[in-house]
Amino acid sequence: MSLAGTATPAETLESTDPASGAVVGLFPVQDAEAVRAAVDRARTAATAWAALGFDGRRQRLAAYRGHLARRLRELADLVHRENGKPHADALLEITLAVDHLAWAGGHARRVLGPRRVAPGLLAANHAAWLEYQPLGVVGVIGPWNYPVFTPMGSIAYALAAGNAVVFKPSEHTPAVGTWLAEAWRAAVPDAADVLQVVTGLGETGAALCRAGVGKLAFTGSAPTGREVMAACAETLTPVLMELGGKDAMIVADDADVAAAAGAAVWGAMSNAGQTCIGIERVYATAPVYDRFVAEVTERVRGLRPGSDGDAAYGPMTMPGQTDVVRRHVDDAVAAGGRLVAGGTVEGRFVAPTVLLDVPETSAAVREETFGPTLTITRVRDAEEALERTNANPHGLAGAVFSRSRTRAMDLARRMRTGMTSVNSVLTFASVPALPFGGVGESGFGRIHGADGLKEFTRAKAITRQRFGLPVDLMSFGRPATAADALARVVALLHGRHR
Ligand code: NDP
């Protein structure tokens, strides 16, 4: 991978394979001036991009997804080398991103296009129109854990809505970010500057917040999210915050315990647990608890981290993350938690770890661990499970396992999260029509689906007078009796409601 960007950078950033330490590529650390130049180019490109209209953009987004689909393996290999996840997981991630690109391009007109709305009583002689217009340039700051899927959740929807995008990937995955922008240039040469990448460290991201973008879509941790909000507040730049989670699974009395255990293990351990919507804690009711623990420990025994083809998951992408995992496990054990699997860290590889009886006040239950760990807690019933689930300040997603459709849907609705899967984990993320985002410490705003398209637009209201009325209520020329007549009509129409 060669140096990206146009300016000659003062500094460079080296991206390495987390498993072997091999250099993946060298990238410029772009300063505020370079970021502003990229945003300026994007602003010019945005005008032409918006003028293409929904069909023109749909065709070009289709060309981009075709390009990605034809080079799926090449991109998956890069994701594997730079992020460390197994090839199969990288392929799955890119497939999801391609699916979202298809949905966003295909549905933008229906969701955002002009539509007539009822004008109401006072404007009965007017036509009323609503449409959703692009914001211009959207800045996207992304994390490293799903370096294709996560930023594409903002990029695809922002582009389909008619915006240009300047994307700052994590310093741990600049090669994947640069690949995505180069792929855009190759697939959509007549709108090459509509998707650009700027690489660097946190300061490059901070510069993007201050570069005059129409909106800043941030995905990352809550502490950085607060810094991004503070920087954006200086220029009243609106923000979208996709932050961390501490997702719980509720296993009810009537759950398919084997299925729940399989899903919990995948939800907790896949991608080495570095998944914002990963399952980190399980609340299993007393009648199923022992069986659930046995099923989970049995499955976990068959898992091994590594960077070979047979490994279940890869290394921790960020070196410092192993310290967080170690701290959470040690803290849980010191507080009386029982380690029934794993707990060991070798280099960047963390063994699949299962903890029981961990107090709710412990970091392993309160804070995002972002590692291949799972706490399992026995609860009286599903109501207690829900209460404990909702007591956490995070509120990204979660799962419910129950054979009763009514009960499961009721629990899912009352879970204080943006997303819930019933009898599976993470499924909502693969349904392009469903919005993705959290509540509380997990952030606000939505990507994906119709809400994700609207997130990158401003609603525009237009009225057009179709014919004049003999009496114009919004005129100084209205007769003195007009207001009385109006009062009589309102009383007639609405007065009977009590
Ligand atoms: P960070 O918050 O550390 O970083 C996120 C991004 O912000 C990176 O690109 C980072 O750049 C950049 N950044 C750092 N400092 C600043 C700053 N001052 N101003 C602007 N940008 C800055 O998160 P991680 O990369 O570690 O990602 C993991 C976190 O992301 C977890 O908490 C996870 O739960 C969350 N996440 C949330 C998702 C969701 O959809 N809700 C999805 C995926 C992850 P650099 O890397 O160069 O420092």
Side-chain angles (χ1 to χ4, degrees):
M1 182 81 42
S2 61
L3 282 179
T6 49
T8 310
E11 284 179 69
T12 53
L13 162 68
E14 189 178 81
S15 162
T16 54
D17 181 328
S20 66
V23 175
V24 178
L26 267 184
F27 299 87
V29 172
Q30 286 174 304
D31 61 12
E33 200 185 323
V35 171
R36 198 166 274 279
V39 171
D40 286 346
R41 284 193 298 276
R43 197 170 290 117
T44 306
T47 307
W49 181 245
L52 280 173
F54 292 109
D55 288 341
R57 292 196 293 269
R58 185 173 45 76
Q59 282 162 16
R60 286 160 181 80
L61 286 166
Y64 186 44
R65 80 168 192 269
H67 187 98
L68 297 188
R70 289 190 295 278
R71 286 162 185 78
L72 207 66
R73 287 173 196 285
E74 177 191 326
L75 179 56
D77 180 57
L78 185 59
V79 171
H80 166 69
R81 283 190 289 126
E82 196 175 43
N83 164 284
K85 71 178 67 182
H87 273 103
D89 287 354
L91 284 172
L92 188 64
E93 173 181 348
I94 302 162
T95 304
L96 288 174
V98 167
D99 217 19
H100 278 283
L101 268 165
W103 196 92
H107 290 78
R109 179 194 289 283
R110 181 185 60 77
V111 176
L112 307 174
R115 79 208 54 181
R116 275 179 83 150
V117 297
L121 176 66
L122 287 178
N125 59 325
H126 294 254
W129 293 88
L130 165 66
E131 66 186 54
Y132 293 88
Q133 298 181 343
L135 301 169
V137 182
V138 170
V140 174
I141 298 179
W144 42 266
N145 56 341
Y146 288 86
V148 178
F149 173 70
T150 298
M152 203 52 82
S154 294
I155 293 170
Y157 291 83
L159 292 177
N163 304 281
V165 170
V166 177
F167 168 40
K168 151 69 177 76
S170 161
E171 67 191 75
H172 302 287
T173 50
V176 172
T178 302
W179 193 100
L180 289 173
E182 282 174 359
W184 174 267
R185 269 183 187 274
V188 192
D190 69 343
D193 283 339
V194 162
L195 174 58
Q196 299 173 70
V197 79
V198 289
T199 52
L201 312 175
E203 291 89 76
T204 305
L208 185 55
C209 299
R210 297 188 169 95
V213 294
K215 185 159 196 165
L216 196 294
F218 174 78
T219 308
S221 62
T224 312
R226 287 189 175 87
E227 287 184 38
V228 165
M229 281 184 78
C232 288
E234 292 168 16
T235 46
L236 288 181
T237 300
V239 292
L240 161 75
M241 288 282 137
E242 294 286 350
L243 309 177
K246 189 69 188 174
D247 291 357
M249 174 189 284
I250 296 174
V251 185
D253 296 356
D254 62 346
D256 178 336
V257 175
V265 171
W266 167 262
M269 313 294 171
S270 61
N271 207 36
Q274 304 167 117
T275 304
C276 54
I277 49 171
I279 299 295
E280 296 210 353
R281 46 192 181 126
V282 175
Y283 297 107
T285 60
V288 294
Y289 176 83
D290 289 335
R291 211 148 38 93
F292 181 78
V293 170
E295 292 271 3
V296 165
T297 37
E298 164 87 32
R299 282 172 167 77
V300 160
R301 239 175 254 132
L303 301 184
R304 177 180 58 77
S307 52
D308 55 289
D310 294 331
Y313 57 83
M316 304 308 283
T317 308
M318 257 193 346
Q321 200 58 34
T322 50
D323 297 336
V324 177
V325 176
R326 219 192 295 257
R327 177 169 63 80
H328 284 198
V329 173
D330 290 351
D331 175 62
V333 171
R338 275 194 299 137
L339 201 53
V340 290
T344 54
V345 180
E346 277 178 40
R348 295 253 201 123
F349 295 99
V350 180
T353 299
V354 180
L355 286 153
L356 310 181
D357 307 328
V358 182
E360 292 293 291
T361 48
S362 150
V365 180
R366 295 292 296 170
E367 300 170 22
E368 187 179 50
T369 308
F370 229 50
T373 65
L374 192 63
T375 64
I376 309 176
T377 305
R378 184 200 302 266
V379 287
R380 195 182 57 245
D381 53 22
E383 283 306 314
E384 187 186 354
L386 185 69
E387 213 173 283
R388 292 190 185 216
T389 297
N390 290 350
N392 196 280
H394 294 93
L396 193 53
V400 174
F401 272 78
S402 164
R403 284 197 172 90
S404 156
R405 193 194 303 182
T406 321
R407 183 99 185 96
M409 289 300 283
D410 175 54
L411 288 165
R413 287 200 175 96
R414 289 190 291 135
M415 189 180 272
R416 187 185 149 274
T417 60
M419 303 152 287
T420 303
S421 300
V422 172
N423 296 334
S424 74
V425 286
L426 323 185
T427 308
F428 46 79
S430 65
V431 181
L434 285 179
F436 186 107
V439 302
E441 286 276 309
S442 296
F444 51 83
R446 294 293 181 264
I447 54 172
H448 301 176
D451 297 271
L453 283 167
K454 285 183 186 166
E455 189 75 42
F456 298 107
T457 62
R458 63 173 72 88
K460 174 79 183 183
I462 302 174
T463 61
R464 179 177 53 78
Q465 190 178 62
R466 288 159 53 229
F467 53 88
L469 293 177
V471 175
D472 184 355
L473 285 170
M474 289 201 266
S475 145
F476 290 115
R478 70 186 172 203
T481 52
D484 279 345
L486 180 65
R488 277 198 298 278
V489 172
V490 171
L492 209 63
L493 281 176
H494 302 289
R496 63 199 153 88
H497 297 289
R498 298 199 182 271

